[in-house]
């Protein structure tokens, strides 16, 4: 039984051309994946289109020492899954293909073994070519990084040919794991060659920057921020909740990225402030006004001195310009048969938030150049 697979398209002159796939009777593959080019000959097609068709993935290869029979129905089903219009296709050649995995045979290499430096140069060359390919064929791609691994045996071939002849028709731009990609190139003799390599494409998230210059001591709001694309090897903060409501410890100029070391929690007590300090015991509470020597946030220890005289004590920050002596948070209170003196007000777990914290779990919507309300 034989059938005909014809992919119809228009040539530049407007005439109807057909790209024919002729199924083979048998095929031997040397990779764990069977591609369309392994089991069929692509005829009557320009080199670019033929390369794309040959790289279409069909099925996993059989295990070592076994044979797998791939039928026309399986090929049709896989092509349909890849988005090929089957209403315009026919098949020629055999009705099934017997596929086996090529056994590795020891060979004596006539070429010198590639050094690590040669491999690195080849990978850098492919990486640059692949990055340019993505920018051309995926113009909407955001910031990304490309990591490439080449086989040592292909390093010399890659370095000996021009990068502008490299083509990556089987690339999956949206795969988030390492993938096997077939790279087509034209060697110095004008012969089309196929090199299989490993690559991984990772999106680089945008980071937060100052929308305009912000002075030291500014408490950051959502309106003060914008998203920017990081430069090469640049790091930054990607979560607005780690920035909004915090205070700058230095001036940050316009478009400079926000850094965690330049931010701190908004202090509840500042150095020199007049603080109301409480001392509680059971139902008795005593308070007095004292002056702070230092800065602190919720739960921090702070030194206080008397407004008159030389009294000095250490208290725990419990609120805005408020502190308490011998304060014990509810988390430290344990069951006991004896009598305990507990100060402070217990609240449900998770109900206490630092001043300036973000209460909206979703956070503000920040976009490039401003805030989306």
């Amino acid at each position: 039984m034989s059938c005909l697979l014809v992919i119809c398209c228009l040539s530049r002159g407007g005439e109807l051309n057909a790209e024919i796939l002729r199924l083979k009777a048998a095929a031997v593959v040397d990779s764990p994946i069977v591609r369309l080019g392994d089991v069929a000959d692509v005829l009557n097609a320009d080199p670019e289109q033929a390369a794309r068709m040959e790289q279409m993935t069909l099925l996993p290869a059989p295990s070592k020492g076994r044979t797998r029979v791939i039928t026309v129905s399986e090929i049709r089903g896989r092509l349909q899954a890849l988005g090929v219009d089957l209403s315009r296709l026919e098949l020629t050649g055999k009705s099934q293909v017997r596929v086996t995995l090529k056994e590795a045979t020891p060979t004596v290499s006539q070429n010198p073994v590639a050094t690590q430096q040669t491999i690195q140069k080849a990978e850098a060359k492919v990486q640059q070519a692949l990055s340019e390919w993505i920018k051309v064929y995926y113009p909407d791609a955001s910031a990304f990084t490309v990591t490439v691994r080449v086989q040592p045996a292909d390093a010399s071939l890659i370095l000996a040919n021009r990068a502008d002849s490299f083509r990556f028709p089987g690339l999956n731009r949206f795969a988030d794991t390492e993938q096997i990609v077939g790279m087509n190139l034209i060697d110095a003799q004008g012969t089309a060659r196929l090199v299989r390599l490993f690559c991984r494409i990772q999106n680089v998230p945008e980071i937060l920057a100052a929308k305009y210059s912000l002075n030291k001591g500014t408490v950051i709001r959502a309106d003060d921020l914008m998203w920017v694309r990081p430069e090469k090897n640049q790091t930054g903060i990607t979560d607005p909740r780690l920035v909004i409501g915090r205070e700058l410890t230095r001036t940050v100029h316009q478009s400079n990225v926000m850094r965690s070391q330049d931010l701190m929690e908004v202090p509840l007590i500042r150095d020199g402030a007049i603080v109301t300090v409480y001392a509680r015991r059971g139902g008795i509470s005593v308070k007095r006004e004292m002056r702070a020597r230092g800065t602190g946030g919720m739960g921090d220890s702070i030194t206080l001195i008397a407004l008159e005289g030389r009294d000095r004590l250490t208290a725990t920050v419990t609120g805005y310009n408020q502190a308490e002596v011998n304060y014990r948070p509810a988390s430290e209170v344990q069951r006991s048969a004896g009598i305990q003196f507990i100060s402070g007000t217990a609240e449900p777990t998770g109900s206490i938030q630092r001043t300036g914290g973000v209460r909206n779990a979703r956070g503000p919507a920040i976009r490039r150049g401003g805030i989306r309300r």
Side-chain angles (χ1 to χ4, degrees):
M1 174 182 179
S2 64
C3 41
L4 178 67
L5 176 57
V6 181
I7 302 179
C8 301
C9 64
L10 289 177
S11 67
R12 294 181 180 178
E15 298 178 356
L16 187 65
N17 292 333
E19 294 165 354
I20 303 174
L21 296 184
R22 184 173 59 195
L23 247 61
K24 303 175 183 178
V28 179
V29 298
D30 57 359
S31 71
I33 299 174
V34 180
R35 293 177 171 80
L36 187 59
D38 296 327
V39 299
D41 295 320
V42 181
L43 308 175
N44 196 29
D46 62 83
E48 187 75 15
Q49 180 65 16
R52 290 179 181 275
M53 295 170 62
E54 289 173 352
Q55 291 301 313
M56 290 182 179
T57 301
L58 294 181
L59 298 166
S63 58
K64 184 178 179 180
R66 300 181 68 87
T67 299
R68 178 166 191 168
V69 177
I70 302 178
T71 65
V72 173
S73 298
E74 290 177 301
I75 295 176
R76 285 181 178 275
R78 181 56 182 161
L79 291 177
Q80 185 178 27
L82 292 174
V84 177
D85 185 3
L86 296 183
S87 65
R88 304 174 61 182
L89 303 181
E90 296 181 4
L91 258 147
T92 189
K94 301 297 181 178
S95 61
Q96 61 184 26
V97 183
R98 299 176 63 84
V99 179
T100 56
L101 182 65
K102 182 179 180 180
E103 295 187 7
T105 56
T107 58
V108 179
S109 175
Q110 300 299 323
N111 298 322
V113 178
T115 64
Q116 188 63 33
Q117 184 178 9
T118 301
I119 296 173
Q120 290 176 351
K121 288 182 178 179
E123 290 175 343
K125 186 174 183 178
V126 174
Q127 181 174 318
Q128 180 63 33
L130 182 54
S131 297
E132 296 300 325
W133 172 277
I134 293 174
K135 292 177 182 178
V136 171
Y137 288 91
Y138 299 92
D140 295 332
S142 58
F144 60 89
T145 60
V146 175
T147 305
V148 172
R149 290 193 299 116
V150 303
Q151 300 182 55
D154 297 325
S156 298
L157 176 64
I158 292 171
L159 293 176
N161 292 278
R162 295 172 50 182
D164 58 6
S165 72
F166 297 170
R167 300 290 183 269
F168 308 89
L171 176 70
N172 183 353
R173 162 68 181 85
F174 304 101
D176 57 0
T177 58
E178 188 176 65
Q179 57 181 301
I180 301 175
V181 177
M183 182 181 75
N184 298 312
L185 59 86
I186 305 298
D187 62 17
Q189 291 72 37
T191 304
R193 303 286 294 273
L194 175 65
V195 175
R196 285 194 170 91
L197 51 91
F198 303 88
C199 77
R200 183 175 183 181
I201 305 170
Q202 293 177 291
N203 289 323
V204 178
E206 293 183 321
I207 58 179
L208 291 165
K211 190 176 180 181
Y212 33 76
S213 294
L214 301 170
N215 295 326
K216 176 182 176 180
T218 300
V219 177
I220 302 299
R221 303 173 304 163
D223 291 337
D224 300 327
L225 303 172
M226 66 179 181
W227 293 108
V228 296
R229 291 183 179 179
E231 299 176 359
K232 185 177 181 181
N233 298 327
Q234 186 180 33
T235 59
I237 301 175
T238 59
D239 188 349
R241 292 172 295 182
L242 300 180
V243 180
I244 297 172
R246 285 170 168 77
E247 182 177 322
L248 285 173
T249 59
R250 72 173 185 90
T251 297
V252 177
H253 296 288
Q254 183 178 12
S255 300
N256 285 7
V257 299
M258 307 302 296
R259 305 184 307 170
S260 57
Q261 57 265 41
D262 300 331
L263 299 164
M264 70 174 182
E265 290 284 353
V266 177
L268 296 177
I269 297 178
R270 297 182 183 272
D271 187 32
I274 303 300
V275 178
T276 302
V277 56
Y278 294 87
R280 306 177 193 270
R281 180 70 63 172
I284 302 174
S285 176
V286 178
K287 69 177 181 179
R288 66 182 294 190
E289 304 295 324
M290 304 185 74
R291 189 178 303 277
R293 282 292 177 260
T295 300
M298 177 69 74
D300 293 338
S301 294
I302 192 169
T303 300
L304 303 171
I305 61 173
L307 299 179
E308 297 179 359
R310 298 182 179 181
D311 290 348
R312 177 186 294 263
L313 56 84
T314 300
T316 301
V317 178
T318 57
Y320 180 68
N321 286 339
Q322 290 185 357
E324 187 169 329
V325 180
N326 297 327
Y327 174 76
R328 296 181 63 194
S331 59
E332 295 183 6
V333 178
Q334 299 179 356
R335 294 184 178 275
S336 172
I339 299 175
Q340 287 187 320
F341 295 97
I342 304 172
S343 58
T345 302
E347 297 188 13
T349 302
S351 64
I352 299 176
Q353 295 187 346
R354 290 179 181 265
T355 300
V358 180
R359 296 181 181 275
N360 185 352
R362 297 179 57 188
I366 301 174
R367 59 180 178 179
R368 292 183 63 84
I371 312 300
R372 182 184 296 110
R373 292 295 184 186

